[in-house]
PDB file of all heavy atoms in Angstrom:
ATOM      1  N   GLY A   1     139.967 114.682  31.826  1.00 98.00           N
ATOM      2  CA  GLY A   1     140.148 113.533  32.711  1.00 98.00           C
ATOM      3  C   GLY A   1     139.029 113.409  33.718  1.00 98.00           C
ATOM      4  O   GLY A   1     138.512 112.312  33.975  1.00 98.00           O
ATOM      5  N   ILE A   2     138.628 114.544  34.288  1.00 98.00           N
ATOM      6  CA  ILE A   2     137.533 114.537  35.264  1.00 98.00           C
ATOM      7  C   ILE A   2     136.220 114.159  34.591  1.00 98.00           C
ATOM      8  O   ILE A   2     135.413 113.394  35.140  1.00 98.00           O
ATOM      9  CB  ILE A   2     137.459 115.911  35.949  1.00 98.00           C
ATOM     10  CG1 ILE A   2     138.707 116.114  36.842  1.00 98.00           C
ATOM     11  CG2 ILE A   2     136.188 116.061  36.769  1.00 98.00           C
ATOM     12  CD1 ILE A   2     138.867 117.520  37.376  1.00 98.00           C
ATOM     13  N   GLY A   3     136.014 114.655  33.356  1.00 98.00           N
ATOM     14  CA  GLY A   3     134.814 114.278  32.608  1.00 98.00           C
ATOM     15  C   GLY A   3     134.808 112.813  32.234  1.00 98.00           C
ATOM     16  O   GLY A   3     133.757 112.157  32.260  1.00 98.00           O
ATOM     17  N   LEU A   4     135.968 112.276  31.881  1.00 98.00           N
ATOM     18  CA  LEU A   4     136.067 110.848  31.576  1.00 98.00           C
ATOM     19  C   LEU A   4     135.689 110.017  32.787  1.00 98.00           C
ATOM     20  O   LEU A   4     134.967 109.015  32.668  1.00 98.00           O
ATOM     21  CB  LEU A   4     137.481 110.501  31.114  1.00 98.00           C
ATOM     22  CG  LEU A   4     137.774 109.020  30.904  1.00 98.00           C
ATOM     23  CD1 LEU A   4     136.855 108.413  29.852  1.00 98.00           C
ATOM     24  CD2 LEU A   4     139.245 108.807  30.530  1.00 98.00           C
ATOM     25  N   ALA A   5     136.165 110.403  33.949  1.00 98.00           N
ATOM     26  CA  ALA A   5     135.822 109.666  35.165  1.00 98.00           C
ATOM     27  C   ALA A   5     134.315 109.659  35.386  1.00 98.00           C
ATOM     28  O   ALA A   5     133.729 108.630  35.755  1.00 98.00           O
ATOM     29  CB  ALA A   5     136.526 110.273  36.368  1.00 98.00           C
ATOM     30  N   ALA A   6     133.656 110.799  35.141  1.00 98.00           N
ATOM     31  CA  ALA A   6     132.201 110.863  35.295  1.00 98.00           C
ATOM     32  C   ALA A   6     131.517 109.913  34.325  1.00 98.00           C
ATOM     33  O   ALA A   6     130.531 109.243  34.673  1.00 98.00           O
ATOM     34  CB  ALA A   6     131.711 112.293  35.085  1.00 98.00           C
ATOM     35  N   ALA A   7     132.042 109.832  33.099  1.00 98.00           N
ATOM     36  CA  ALA A   7     131.461 108.918  32.107  1.00 98.00           C
ATOM     37  C   ALA A   7     131.644 107.465  32.526  1.00 98.00           C
ATOM     38  O   ALA A   7     130.712 106.650  32.428  1.00 98.00           O
ATOM     39  CB  ALA A   7     132.104 109.164  30.746  1.00 98.00           C
ATOM     40  N   LEU A   8     132.831 107.124  32.991  1.00 98.00           N
ATOM     41  CA  LEU A   8     133.086 105.735  33.379  1.00 98.00           C
ATOM     42  C   LEU A   8     132.283 105.348  34.621  1.00 98.00           C
ATOM     43  O   LEU A   8     131.813 104.203  34.734  1.00 98.00           O
ATOM     44  CB  LEU A   8     134.579 105.522  33.618  1.00 98.00           C
ATOM     45  CG  LEU A   8     135.487 105.779  32.408  1.00 98.00           C
ATOM     46  CD1 LEU A   8     136.935 105.427  32.739  1.00 98.00           C
ATOM     47  CD2 LEU A   8     135.020 105.017  31.182  1.00 98.00           C
ATOM     48  N   GLU A   9     132.120 106.279  35.542  1.00 98.00           N
ATOM     49  CA  GLU A   9     131.271 105.997  36.706  1.00 98.00           C
ATOM     50  C   GLU A   9     129.824 105.784  36.274  1.00 98.00           C
ATOM     51  O   GLU A   9     129.128 104.928  36.832  1.00 98.00           O
ATOM     52  CB  GLU A   9     131.379 107.140  37.709  1.00 98.00           C
ATOM     53  CG  GLU A   9     132.704 107.143  38.463  1.00 98.00           C
ATOM     54  CD  GLU A   9     132.867 108.353  39.366  1.00 98.00           C
ATOM     55  OE1 GLU A   9     132.290 109.419  39.042  1.00 98.00           O
ATOM     56  OE2 GLU A   9     133.569 108.236  40.393  1.00 98.00           O
ATOM     57  N   TYR A  10     129.374 106.547  35.289  1.00 97.00           N
ATOM     58  CA  TYR A  10     128.030 106.346  34.737  1.00 97.00           C
ATOM     59  C   TYR A  10     127.895 104.933  34.174  1.00 97.00           C
ATOM     60  O   TYR A  10     126.916 104.230  34.450  1.00 97.00           O
ATOM     61  CB  TYR A  10     127.767 107.385  33.638  1.00 97.00           C
ATOM     62  CG  TYR A  10     126.436 107.241  32.949  1.00 97.00           C
ATOM     63  CD1 TYR A  10     125.295 107.853  33.459  1.00 97.00           C
ATOM     64  CD2 TYR A  10     126.317 106.494  31.780  1.00 97.00           C
ATOM     65  CE1 TYR A  10     124.063 107.715  32.830  1.00 97.00           C
ATOM     66  CE2 TYR A  10     125.094 106.352  31.145  1.00 97.00           C
ATOM     67  CZ  TYR A  10     123.970 106.966  31.678  1.00 97.00           C
ATOM     68  OH  TYR A  10     122.754 106.815  31.047  1.00 97.00           O
ATOM     69  N   VAL A  11     128.888 104.507  33.396  1.00 97.00           N
ATOM     70  CA  VAL A  11     128.848 103.176  32.788  1.00 97.00           C
ATOM     71  C   VAL A  11     128.913 102.087  33.851  1.00 97.00           C
ATOM     72  O   VAL A  11     128.172 101.100  33.800  1.00 97.00           O
ATOM     73  CB  VAL A  11     129.999 103.018  31.775  1.00 97.00           C
ATOM     74  CG1 VAL A  11     130.116 101.576  31.302  1.00 97.00           C
ATOM     75  CG2 VAL A  11     129.791 103.949  30.582  1.00 97.00           C
ATOM     76  N   MET A  12     129.801 102.259  34.854  1.00 97.00           N
ATOM     77  CA  MET A  12     129.963 101.221  35.870  1.00 97.00           C
ATOM     78  C   MET A  12     128.733 101.074  36.755  1.00 97.00           C
ATOM     79  O   MET A  12     128.529 100.022  37.368  1.00 97.00           O
ATOM     80  CB  MET A  12     131.207 101.508  36.716  1.00 97.00           C
ATOM     81  CG  MET A  12     132.508 101.256  35.970  1.00 97.00           C
ATOM     82  SD  MET A  12     133.998 101.340  37.031  1.00 97.00           S
ATOM     83  CE  MET A  12     134.140 103.105  37.278  1.00 97.00           C
ATOM     84  N   ALA A  13     127.899 102.105  36.814  1.00 96.00           N
ATOM     85  CA  ALA A  13     126.679 102.028  37.617  1.00 96.00           C
ATOM     86  C   ALA A  13     125.556 101.275  36.905  1.00 96.00           C
ATOM     87  O   ALA A  13     124.541 100.941  37.526  1.00 96.00           O
ATOM     88  CB  ALA A  13     126.201 103.435  37.979  1.00 96.00           C
ATOM     89  N   LEU A  14     125.733 100.995  35.612  1.00 95.00           N
ATOM     90  CA  LEU A  14     124.701 100.312  34.841  1.00 95.00           C
ATOM     91  C   LEU A  14     124.725  98.809  35.098  1.00 95.00           C
ATOM     92  O   LEU A  14     125.761  98.236  35.443  1.00 95.00           O
ATOM     93  CB  LEU A  14     124.920 100.558  33.346  1.00 95.00           C
ATOM     94  CG  LEU A  14     124.809 101.996  32.849  1.00 95.00           C
ATOM     95  CD1 LEU A  14     125.306 102.077  31.405  1.00 95.00           C
ATOM     96  CD2 LEU A  14     123.374 102.500  32.953  1.00 95.00           C
ATOM     97  N   ASP A  15     123.588  98.182  34.898  1.00 94.00           N
ATOM     98  CA  ASP A  15     123.522  96.720  34.849  1.00 94.00           C
ATOM     99  C   ASP A  15     124.008  96.315  33.465  1.00 94.00           C
ATOM    100  O   ASP A  15     123.249  96.332  32.498  1.00 94.00           O
ATOM    101  CB  ASP A  15     122.082  96.254  35.081  1.00 94.00           C
ATOM    102  CG  ASP A  15     121.937  94.744  34.992  1.00 94.00           C
ATOM    103  OD1 ASP A  15     122.893  94.062  34.567  1.00 94.00           O
ATOM    104  OD2 ASP A  15     120.842  94.242  35.318  1.00 94.00           O
ATOM    105  N   PHE A  16     125.298  95.972  33.370  1.00 91.00           N
ATOM    106  CA  PHE A  16     125.865  95.811  32.041  1.00 91.00           C
ATOM    107  C   PHE A  16     125.379  94.543  31.345  1.00 91.00           C
ATOM    108  O   PHE A  16     125.373  94.476  30.112  1.00 91.00           O
ATOM    109  CB  PHE A  16     127.397  95.865  32.086  1.00 91.00           C
ATOM    110  CG  PHE A  16     127.950  96.717  30.976  1.00 91.00           C
ATOM    111  CD1 PHE A  16     127.812  98.096  31.027  1.00 91.00           C
ATOM    112  CD2 PHE A  16     128.573  96.158  29.876  1.00 91.00           C
ATOM    113  CE1 PHE A  16     128.298  98.901  30.005  1.00 91.00           C
ATOM    114  CE2 PHE A  16     129.069  96.946  28.854  1.00 91.00           C
ATOM    115  CZ  PHE A  16     128.924  98.317  28.915  1.00 91.00           C
ATOM    116  N   ARG A  17     124.970  93.547  32.101  1.00 93.00           N
ATOM    117  CA  ARG A  17     124.366  92.379  31.448  1.00 93.00           C
ATOM    118  C   ARG A  17     123.101  92.793  30.716  1.00 93.00           C
ATOM    119  O   ARG A  17     122.828  92.349  29.597  1.00 93.00           O
ATOM    120  CB  ARG A  17     124.060  91.290  32.473  1.00 93.00           C
ATOM    121  CG  ARG A  17     125.276  90.561  33.017  1.00 93.00           C
ATOM    122  CD  ARG A  17     124.870  89.526  34.064  1.00 93.00           C
ATOM    123  NE  ARG A  17     126.022  88.847  34.608  1.00 93.00           N
ATOM    124  CZ  ARG A  17     126.502  87.687  34.168  1.00 93.00           C
ATOM    125  NH1 ARG A  17     125.916  87.115  33.119  1.00 93.00           N
ATOM    126  NH2 ARG A  17     127.541  87.120  34.721  1.00 93.00           N
ATOM    127  N   ALA A  18     122.320  93.660  31.348  1.00 95.00           N
ATOM    128  CA  ALA A  18     121.094  94.153  30.713  1.00 95.00           C
ATOM    129  C   ALA A  18     121.422  95.024  29.510  1.00 95.00           C
ATOM    130  O   ALA A  18     120.739  94.969  28.484  1.00 95.00           O
ATOM    131  CB  ALA A  18     120.253  94.927  31.722  1.00 95.00           C
ATOM    132  N   VAL A  19     122.475  95.846  29.611  1.00 96.00           N
ATOM    133  CA  VAL A  19     122.899  96.673  28.477  1.00 96.00           C
ATOM    134  C   VAL A  19     123.300  95.782  27.301  1.00 96.00           C
ATOM    135  O   VAL A  19     122.904  96.026  26.144  1.00 96.00           O
ATOM    136  CB  VAL A  19     124.064  97.595  28.874  1.00 96.00           C
ATOM    137  CG1 VAL A  19     124.643  98.297  27.653  1.00 96.00           C
ATOM    138  CG2 VAL A  19     123.610  98.626  29.901  1.00 96.00           C
ATOM    139  N   GLU A  20     124.097  94.760  27.574  1.00 96.00           N
ATOM    140  CA  GLU A  20     124.529  93.861  26.505  1.00 96.00           C
ATOM    141  C   GLU A  20     123.340  93.153  25.860  1.00 96.00           C
ATOM    142  O   GLU A  20     123.300  92.991  24.631  1.00 96.00           O
ATOM    143  CB  GLU A  20     125.526  92.846  27.049  1.00 96.00           C
ATOM    144  CG  GLU A  20     126.888  93.463  27.389  1.00 96.00           C
ATOM    145  CD  GLU A  20     127.841  92.463  28.002  1.00 96.00           C
ATOM    146  OE1 GLU A  20     127.369  91.400  28.471  1.00 96.00           O
ATOM    147  OE2 GLU A  20     129.048  92.738  28.012  1.00 96.00           O
ATOM    148  N   ALA A  21     122.371  92.748  26.665  1.00 96.00           N
ATOM    149  CA  ALA A  21     121.178  92.108  26.113  1.00 96.00           C
ATOM    150  C   ALA A  21     120.396  93.090  25.244  1.00 96.00           C
ATOM    151  O   ALA A  21     119.886  92.731  24.170  1.00 96.00           O
ATOM    152  CB  ALA A  21     120.300  91.578  27.240  1.00 96.00           C
ATOM    153  N   HIS A  22     120.299  94.321  25.703  1.00 96.00           N
ATOM    154  CA  HIS A  22     119.595  95.356  24.938  1.00 96.00           C
ATOM    155  C   HIS A  22     120.285  95.594  23.594  1.00 96.00           C
ATOM    156  O   HIS A  22     119.622  95.639  22.543  1.00 96.00           O
ATOM    157  CB  HIS A  22     119.558  96.644  25.763  1.00 96.00           C
ATOM    158  CG  HIS A  22     119.064  97.839  25.017  1.00 96.00           C
ATOM    159  ND1 HIS A  22     117.754  97.982  24.608  1.00 96.00           N
ATOM    160  CD2 HIS A  22     119.708  98.971  24.604  1.00 96.00           C
ATOM    161  CE1 HIS A  22     117.601  99.131  23.977  1.00 96.00           C
ATOM    162  NE2 HIS A  22     118.777  99.747  23.963  1.00 96.00           N
ATOM    163  N   GLU A  23     121.599  95.728  23.608  1.00 97.00           N
ATOM    164  CA  GLU A  23     122.316  95.992  22.370  1.00 97.00           C
ATOM    165  C   GLU A  23     122.284  94.782  21.440  1.00 97.00           C
ATOM    166  O   GLU A  23     122.218  94.940  20.209  1.00 97.00           O
ATOM    167  CB  GLU A  23     123.749  96.409  22.674  1.00 97.00           C
ATOM    168  CG  GLU A  23     123.839  97.784  23.339  1.00 97.00           C
ATOM    169  CD  GLU A  23     125.254  98.321  23.419  1.00 97.00           C
ATOM    170  OE1 GLU A  23     126.190  97.621  22.975  1.00 97.00           O
ATOM    171  OE2 GLU A  23     125.432  99.449  23.909  1.00 97.00           O
ATOM    172  N   ALA A  24     122.336  93.585  22.001  1.00 97.00           N
ATOM    173  CA  ALA A  24     122.228  92.391  21.172  1.00 97.00           C
ATOM    174  C   ALA A  24     120.867  92.326  20.490  1.00 97.00           C
ATOM    175  O   ALA A  24     120.756  91.948  19.311  1.00 97.00           O
ATOM    176  CB  ALA A  24     122.453  91.137  22.016  1.00 97.00           C
ATOM    177  N   ASP A  25     119.828  92.702  21.215  1.00 97.00           N
ATOM    178  CA  ASP A  25     118.498  92.750  20.622  1.00 97.00           C
ATOM    179  C   ASP A  25     118.443  93.761  19.488  1.00 97.00           C
ATOM    180  O   ASP A  25     117.890  93.492  18.410  1.00 97.00           O
ATOM    181  CB  ASP A  25     117.465  93.106  21.692  1.00 97.00           C
ATOM    182  CG  ASP A  25     116.086  93.381  21.102  1.00 97.00           C
ATOM    183  OD1 ASP A  25     115.486  92.436  20.549  1.00 97.00           O
ATOM    184  OD2 ASP A  25     115.629  94.542  21.162  1.00 97.00           O
ATOM    185  N   LEU A  26     119.012  94.946  19.714  1.00 97.00           N
ATOM    186  CA  LEU A  26     119.020  95.964  18.667  1.00 97.00           C
ATOM    187  C   LEU A  26     119.768  95.481  17.432  1.00 97.00           C
ATOM    188  O   LEU A  26     119.337  95.724  16.295  1.00 97.00           O
ATOM    189  CB  LEU A  26     119.669  97.245  19.184  1.00 97.00           C
ATOM    190  CG  LEU A  26     118.914  98.055  20.227  1.00 97.00           C
ATOM    191  CD1 LEU A  26     119.747  99.269  20.646  1.00 97.00           C
ATOM    192  CD2 LEU A  26     117.557  98.509  19.711  1.00 97.00           C
ATOM    193  N   LEU A  27     120.889  94.793  17.640  1.00 98.00           N
ATOM    194  CA  LEU A  27     121.678  94.310  16.516  1.00 98.00           C
ATOM    195  C   LEU A  27     120.905  93.259  15.713  1.00 98.00           C
ATOM    196  O   LEU A  27     120.873  93.301  14.478  1.00 98.00           O
ATOM    197  CB  LEU A  27     122.999  93.728  17.023  1.00 98.00           C
ATOM    198  CG  LEU A  27     123.985  93.261  15.955  1.00 98.00           C
ATOM    199  CD1 LEU A  27     124.381  94.402  15.027  1.00 98.00           C
ATOM    200  CD2 LEU A  27     125.224  92.657  16.611  1.00 98.00           C
ATOM    201  N   GLU A  28     120.257  92.335  16.395  1.00 98.00           N
ATOM    202  CA  GLU A  28     119.469  91.319  15.694  1.00 98.00           C
ATOM    203  C   GLU A  28     118.279  91.941  14.972  1.00 98.00           C
ATOM    204  O   GLU A  28     117.996  91.625  13.811  1.00 98.00           O
ATOM    205  CB  GLU A  28     119.006  90.243  16.678  1.00 98.00           C
ATOM    206  CG  GLU A  28     120.120  89.334  17.147  1.00 98.00           C
ATOM    207  CD  GLU A  28     119.590  88.083  17.826  1.00 98.00           C
ATOM    208  OE1 GLU A  28     118.363  87.815  17.714  1.00 98.00           O
ATOM    209  OE2 GLU A  28     120.381  87.381  18.454  1.00 98.00           O
ATOM    210  N   TYR A  29     117.595  92.837  15.675  1.00 98.00           N
ATOM    211  CA  TYR A  29     116.434  93.493  15.076  1.00 98.00           C
ATOM    212  C   TYR A  29     116.860  94.344  13.878  1.00 98.00           C
ATOM    213  O   TYR A  29     116.222  94.303  12.809  1.00 98.00           O
ATOM    214  CB  TYR A  29     115.755  94.363  16.126  1.00 98.00           C
ATOM    215  CG  TYR A  29     114.503  95.067  15.641  1.00 98.00           C
ATOM    216  CD1 TYR A  29     113.308  94.374  15.463  1.00 98.00           C
ATOM    217  CD2 TYR A  29     114.526  96.435  15.364  1.00 98.00           C
ATOM    218  CE1 TYR A  29     112.155  95.021  15.023  1.00 98.00           C
ATOM    219  CE2 TYR A  29     113.384  97.092  14.923  1.00 98.00           C
ATOM    220  CZ  TYR A  29     112.208  96.384  14.749  1.00 98.00           C
ATOM    221  OH  TYR A  29     111.075  97.036  14.312  1.00 98.00           O
ATOM    222  N   GLY A  30     117.939  95.095  14.035  1.00 98.00           N
ATOM    223  CA  GLY A  30     118.414  95.927  12.945  1.00 98.00           C
ATOM    224  C   GLY A  30     118.873  95.116  11.751  1.00 98.00           C
ATOM    225  O   GLY A  30     118.621  95.484  10.594  1.00 98.00           O
ATOM    226  N   THR A  31     119.566  94.009  12.015  1.00 98.00           N
ATOM    227  CA  THR A  31     119.996  93.130  10.925  1.00 98.00           C
ATOM    228  C   THR A  31     118.797  92.620  10.142  1.00 98.00           C
ATOM    229  O   THR A  31     118.768  92.663   8.903  1.00 98.00           O
ATOM    230  CB  THR A  31     120.808  91.955  11.480  1.00 98.00           C
ATOM    231  OG1 THR A  31     121.958  92.449  12.181  1.00 98.00           O
ATOM    232  CG2 THR A  31     121.265  91.026  10.373  1.00 98.00           C
ATOM    233  N   ALA A  32     117.775  92.164  10.859  1.00 98.00           N
ATOM    234  CA  ALA A  32     116.579  91.631  10.201  1.00 98.00           C
ATOM    235  C   ALA A  32     115.864  92.716   9.399  1.00 98.00           C
ATOM    236  O   ALA A  32     115.439  92.481   8.263  1.00 98.00           O
ATOM    237  CB  ALA A  32     115.643  91.031  11.246  1.00 98.00           C
ATOM    238  N   ARG A  33     115.726  93.905   9.969  1.00 98.00           N
ATOM    239  CA  ARG A  33     115.014  94.980   9.278  1.00 98.00           C
ATOM    240  C   ARG A  33     115.760  95.433   8.027  1.00 98.00           C
ATOM    241  O   ARG A  33     115.154  95.665   6.972  1.00 98.00           O
ATOM    242  CB  ARG A  33     114.804  96.181  10.202  1.00 98.00           C
ATOM    243  CG  ARG A  33     113.795  96.006  11.328  1.00 98.00           C
ATOM    244  CD  ARG A  33     112.384  95.640  10.847  1.00 98.00           C
ATOM    245  NE  ARG A  33     111.925  96.363   9.677  1.00 98.00           N
ATOM    246  CZ  ARG A  33     111.314  97.558   9.682  1.00 98.00           C
ATOM    247  NH1 ARG A  33     111.106  98.177  10.842  1.00 98.00           N
ATOM    248  NH2 ARG A  33     110.898  98.127   8.555  1.00 98.00           N
ATOM    249  N   LEU A  34     117.073  95.555   8.124  1.00 98.00           N
ATOM    250  CA  LEU A  34     117.846  95.990   6.958  1.00 98.00           C
ATOM    251  C   LEU A  34     117.787  94.968   5.839  1.00 98.00           C
ATOM    252  O   LEU A  34     117.723  95.321   4.654  1.00 98.00           O
ATOM    253  CB  LEU A  34     119.293  96.263   7.347  1.00 98.00           C
ATOM    254  CG  LEU A  34     119.553  97.518   8.178  1.00 98.00           C
ATOM    255  CD1 LEU A  34     121.042  97.667   8.463  1.00 98.00           C
ATOM    256  CD2 LEU A  34     119.028  98.773   7.504  1.00 98.00           C
ATOM    257  N   LEU A  35     117.786  93.688   6.192  1.00 97.00           N
ATOM    258  CA  LEU A  35     117.752  92.643   5.167  1.00 97.00           C
ATOM    259  C   LEU A  35     116.403  92.564   4.454  1.00 97.00           C
ATOM    260  O   LEU A  35     116.281  91.886   3.426  1.00 97.00           O
ATOM    261  CB  LEU A  35     118.111  91.292   5.781  1.00 97.00           C
ATOM    262  CG  LEU A  35     119.580  91.154   6.221  1.00 97.00           C
ATOM    263  CD1 LEU A  35     119.814  89.811   6.889  1.00 97.00           C
ATOM    264  CD2 LEU A  35     120.535  91.336   5.039  1.00 97.00           C
ATOM    265  N   GLU A  36     115.403  93.266   4.964  1.00 96.00           N
ATOM    266  CA  GLU A  36     114.120  93.359   4.266  1.00 96.00           C
ATOM    267  C   GLU A  36     114.191  94.296   3.061  1.00 96.00           C
ATOM    268  O   GLU A  36     113.308  94.270   2.191  1.00 96.00           O
ATOM    269  CB  GLU A  36     113.035  93.883   5.219  1.00 96.00           C
ATOM    270  CG  GLU A  36     112.706  92.954   6.378  1.00 96.00           C
ATOM    271  CD  GLU A  36     111.794  93.622   7.409  1.00 96.00           C
ATOM    272  OE1 GLU A  36     111.399  94.790   7.173  1.00 96.00           O
ATOM    273  OE2 GLU A  36     111.492  92.992   8.433  1.00 96.00           O
ATOM    274  N   ILE A  37     115.231  95.125   2.999  1.00 96.00           N
ATOM    275  CA  ILE A  37     115.339  96.148   1.960  1.00 96.00           C
ATOM    276  C   ILE A  37     115.987  95.558   0.711  1.00 96.00           C
ATOM    277  O   ILE A  37     117.107  95.023   0.765  1.00 96.00           O
ATOM    278  CB  ILE A  37     116.153  97.350   2.480  1.00 96.00           C
ATOM    279  CG1 ILE A  37     115.464  97.971   3.698  1.00 96.00           C
ATOM    280  CG2 ILE A  37     116.351  98.387   1.377  1.00 96.00           C
ATOM    281  CD1 ILE A  37     116.287  99.027   4.400  1.00 96.00           C
ATOM    282  N   SER A  38     115.319  95.664  -0.399  1.00 94.00           N
ATOM    283  CA  SER A  38     115.824  95.113  -1.654  1.00 94.00           C
ATOM    284  C   SER A  38     117.126  95.787  -2.052  1.00 94.00           C
ATOM    285  O   SER A  38     117.259  97.020  -2.006  1.00 94.00           O
ATOM    286  CB  SER A  38     114.779  95.324  -2.751  1.00 94.00           C
ATOM    287  OG  SER A  38     115.276  94.917  -4.002  1.00 94.00           O
ATOM    288  N   GLY A  39     118.111  94.985  -2.418  1.00 95.00           N
ATOM    289  CA  GLY A  39     119.384  95.505  -2.890  1.00 95.00           C
ATOM    290  C   GLY A  39     120.351  95.895  -1.796  1.00 95.00           C
ATOM    291  O   GLY A  39     121.440  96.403  -2.096  1.00 95.00           O
ATOM    292  N   LEU A  40     119.998  95.671  -0.535  1.00 97.00           N
ATOM    293  CA  LEU A  40     120.890  96.026   0.572  1.00 97.00           C
ATOM    294  C   LEU A  40     121.741  94.824   0.965  1.00 97.00           C
ATOM    295  O   LEU A  40     121.233  93.715   1.108  1.00 97.00           O
ATOM    296  CB  LEU A  40     120.093  96.530   1.770  1.00 97.00           C
ATOM    297  CG  LEU A  40     120.933  97.091   2.937  1.00 97.00           C
ATOM    298  CD1 LEU A  40     120.207  98.269   3.580  1.00 97.00           C
ATOM    299  CD2 LEU A  40     121.230  96.037   3.997  1.00 97.00           C
ATOM    300  N   ARG A  41     123.016  95.072   1.167  1.00 98.00           N
ATOM    301  CA  ARG A  41     123.959  94.033   1.590  1.00 98.00           C
ATOM    302  C   ARG A  41     124.693  94.500   2.825  1.00 98.00           C
ATOM    303  O   ARG A  41     125.250  95.607   2.840  1.00 98.00           O
ATOM    304  CB  ARG A  41     124.950  93.742   0.466  1.00 98.00           C
ATOM    305  CG  ARG A  41     126.058  92.752   0.839  1.00 98.00           C
ATOM    306  CD  ARG A  41     127.103  92.702  -0.257  1.00 98.00           C
ATOM    307  NE  ARG A  41     128.295  91.979   0.156  1.00 98.00           N
ATOM    308  CZ  ARG A  41     129.488  92.103  -0.432  1.00 98.00           C
ATOM    309  NH1 ARG A  41     129.637  92.923  -1.475  1.00 98.00           N
ATOM    310  NH2 ARG A  41     130.533  91.418  -0.003  1.00 98.00           N
ATOM    311  N   ILE A  42     124.676  93.688   3.875  1.00 98.00           N
ATOM    312  CA  ILE A  42     125.419  94.000   5.089  1.00 98.00           C
ATOM    313  C   ILE A  42     126.860  93.537   4.927  1.00 98.00           C
ATOM    314  O   ILE A  42     127.122  92.400   4.507  1.00 98.00           O
ATOM    315  CB  ILE A  42     124.759  93.343   6.315  1.00 98.00           C
ATOM    316  CG1 ILE A  42     123.394  93.985   6.587  1.00 98.00           C
ATOM    317  CG2 ILE A  42     125.654  93.458   7.550  1.00 98.00           C
ATOM    318  CD1 ILE A  42     122.627  93.362   7.729  1.00 98.00           C
ATOM    319  N   ILE A  43     127.794  94.433   5.258  1.00 98.00           N
ATOM    320  CA  ILE A  43     129.229  94.125   5.181  1.00 98.00           C
ATOM    321  C   ILE A  43     129.719  93.857   6.598  1.00 98.00           C
ATOM    322  O   ILE A  43     129.741  94.749   7.438  1.00 98.00           O
ATOM    323  CB  ILE A  43     130.014  95.291   4.558  1.00 98.00           C
ATOM    324  CG1 ILE A  43     129.428  95.676   3.194  1.00 98.00           C
ATOM    325  CG2 ILE A  43     131.488  94.937   4.448  1.00 98.00           C
ATOM    326  CD1 ILE A  43     129.458  94.566   2.165  1.00 98.00           C
TER     327      ILE A  43
END
């Protein structure tokens, strides 16, 4: 429980709009890169 609180405090201290933008970029970039691979299908 004490460790969970430390994790949540870590997350709450982040600029979460920036985190979401970062992860959205990774998802778009990863989707594009994977679709370059012949025979690969995203589910």
